Amino acid sequence: MPPFEPLTRRDALDAWRDFLPKVPSYTSTRNSVQPGHANVSRLGACIRFRTLLEDEVIRDTLERHAFGVAEKWLQEICWRRYWKGWLETRPSIWTRWRQRVRALGLELPAERLARAEAVAAGASGVACMDAMARELMETGYLHNHARMWWASFWIHVEQLPWELGADFFFRHLLDADPASNTLSWRWVAGLHTPGKSYVVRLSNIEKYAPHYLAGDSSGNERLADVSVGATVPENIDAFAVQPLLQTPSFSPPAMKNFGIWLHPDDLVPEIGPLAGLAPTSIAACFSESIYRETFQLSPRRIAGLKVVLRDALERAAAHFGCATLALKAEDPADALCSWAVENKLSEVVALAPMVGPVRDMLGSLERRLQAAGIRLTLLRRLSDATAFSFVSAGFFPFWQKMRRHLNEVYL
Ligand SMILES: Cc1cc2nc3c(=O)[nH]c(=O)nc-3n(C[C@H](O)[C@H](O)[C@H](O)COP(=O)(O)OP(=O)(O)OC[C@H]3O[C@@H](n4cnc5c(N)ncnc54)[C@H](O)[C@@H]3O)c2cc1C
């Protein structure tokens, strides 16, 4: 099956234009898992890297469709921002997950590690689950229902640590997102809402994905409803809630000579708070060794990151009319600081990175720039700041606030 997720902005806009008329039927068709997945948008990767903005998707939806008809679709689009906002105030969930992935690789008994590898390789012996694992590795995509089933199979049937399953998804999904992925896995495991875990049911797979079972039902007895218990892993951790990263309200940089730093958490600089600026230079940095060695991303994932960064730099060059630079470096903070010094920048401006790989290097970048006498200014889109301020507990209280807000802004 060929990869079919749009990544560049042009492909994303084309795909979104094609999907927009299907929004009214999304509610009734979205749960079904079909070959080719034409019943869902497959916009995950371009929304994750923001070569397409949720704001654009919401605006176009409400220009074309009534709120009531599009509500389920709008909810799903906003789920991502809910997860993002949730993780922004609990960054230690991300840090702890990365630590556990490393530790489990050393601590888990060899027989358990071998089983984890076999299940991830699509050799569990349960044919439908193995088909899903192969689809993920071959395309970088899985339907939401398949993600839920497979994660539940990993945790509740195979009784493998959720952290390693989440790592498998993170290495292969083209739309892999630190918030949506980590928190969805925790939700399936019963850690997001303690005591409530998601348990896979064979009847559910048969109803929504008959083609996964066609011709080969081997291993399905392991999914028989009665044999699957909700096994909540130990250590239901309470993570300290931290205040949201403070970003200044928009004001043009005070200094004349400033640069824009582009990173894969938000790649549409030509729309939003950066759009009206006149930078001297624009840089994006790509560290293949971090992605390949630290995160062990699949070649497809790494290629996807290169595509979105190149695409953003090309658009930025056309929009801002200044030099753009693709830095390749082992140490991104070091490379970005050198770029700022060489270009005699007094300030570097960027959209605030969110919790995840880019934010992990922020402290180091800030320290180096500060030592070189260069200011770092992080801006946040107003729509993100508003959505994040609505996140307190569960999704539905968030959605009530979001719904009211969208009605005020767009209708
Ligand atoms: C275990 C597990 C892991 C997941 N990992 C990721 C991930 O790494 N990255 C990611 O973007 N989503 C993740 N999801 C959420 C969801 O499965 C994907 O967003 C969706 O399947 C992407 O495909 P699509 O664009 O065709 O979805 P569509 O149904 O067309 O949805 C449109 C958009 O809405 C957003 N969205 C829809 N459902 C969700 C959801 N449940 N949570 C958050 N956002 C949602 C996405 O941006 C998606 O692109 C995960 C879900 C589970 C259960």
Side-chain angles (χ1 to χ4, degrees), residues 26 41-44 76 141 144 147-148 175-177 181 184:
Y26 178 79
S41 73
R42 293 163 291 165
L43 292 173
E76 295 305 317
Y141 180 85
N144 180 57
R147 296 183 200 206
M148 289 161 61
D175 65 21
D177 181 279
N181 188 53
S184 297

Side-chain angles (χ1 to χ4, degrees), residues 5 19 26 30 37 39-45 47-48 54 73 76-81 83 141-145 147-148 151 169-170 173 175-178 180-182 184-185 187-188:
E5 274 190 280
F19 191 74
Y26 178 79
R30 62 184 275 270
H37 307 290
N39 56 323
V40 283
S41 73
R42 293 163 291 165
L43 292 173
I47 291 178
R48 184 267 175 264
E54 289 108 313
W73 165 250
E76 295 305 317
I77 291 296
C78 291
W79 257 105
R80 177 171 182 275
R81 269 190 170 144
W83 285 135
Y141 180 85
L142 271 188
H143 183 282
N144 180 57
H145 237 150
R147 296 183 200 206
M148 289 161 61
F169 271 26
F170 196 78
L173 280 173
D175 65 21
D177 181 279
S180 294
N181 188 53
T182 317
S184 297
W185 272 85
W187 170 76
V188 173

Side-chain angles (χ1 to χ4, degrees), residues 19 38 42 91 94-95 108 150 158-159 177 182 184 198 203 222 233 242 263 283 285 355 371 383:
F19 191 74
R42 293 163 291 165
W94 160 261
T95 319
L108 212 61
W150 201 88
E158 290 287 343
Q159 309 223 335
D177 181 279
T182 317
S184 297
Y198 175 77
S203 53
R222 296 191 59 214
Q242 294 183 16
H263 57 72
C285 189
V355 171
S383 50

Side-chain angles (χ1 to χ4, degrees), residues 329-398:
E330 296 264 312
D331 180 345
D334 192 47
L336 285 163
C337 190
S338 302
W339 157 72
V341 170
E342 280 159 23
N343 284 275
K344 299 188 172 49
L345 304 180
S346 37
E347 187 166 350
V348 171
V349 186
L351 289 165
M354 309 210 194
V355 171
V358 184
R359 177 82 75 82
D360 285 349
M361 57 76 98
L362 200 57
S364 166
L365 177 61
E366 251 164 346
R367 278 192 298 282
R368 284 174 211 221
L369 288 176
Q370 205 172 24
I374 301 166
R375 206 170 110 158
L376 177 64
T377 301
L378 300 176
L379 302 173
R380 182 154 266 163
R381 290 182 188 278
L382 184 60
S383 50
D384 281 337
T386 306
F388 294 172
S389 76
F390 294 159
V391 178
S392 52
F395 176 78
F396 285 95
F398 163 81

